[in-house]
Amino acid sequence: YGGSVTLGADGTVAFGDAASTLMACPEPTTADAFLGALAAATRFERAGDGLVLHTADGRTLHFEPTP
């Protein structure tokens, strides 16, 4: 995956178009859902060592570092 991200000092976030490898999957994939959720993110916050992204429709994505 690759793409751009813009972080605002006020906690806003905006992801640009994401690029990924092409797969011949006729049905939507988990990757499609993940990239769609990233594109919908509007706010971010730090949560301990992790990151939480929030969408306008109330979804959240939680990311934690791995040891």
Side-chain angles (χ1 to χ4, degrees):
Y1 300 104
S4 64
V5 62
T6 303
L7 302 175
D10 60 351
T12 57
V13 63
F15 289 90
D17 290 336
S20 64
T21 58
L22 294 174
M23 295 185 294
C25 298
E27 300 296 321
T29 66
T30 302
D32 294 330
F34 175 72
L35 293 176
L38 281 182
T42 57
R43 292 186 309 109
F44 76 95
E45 65 179 304
R46 293 286 312 258
D49 290 336
L51 173 70
V52 180
L53 300 177
H54 302 273
T55 66
D57 63 3
R59 292 178 289 165
T60 58
L61 295 103
H62 298 260
F63 299 91
E64 297 290 332
T66 56

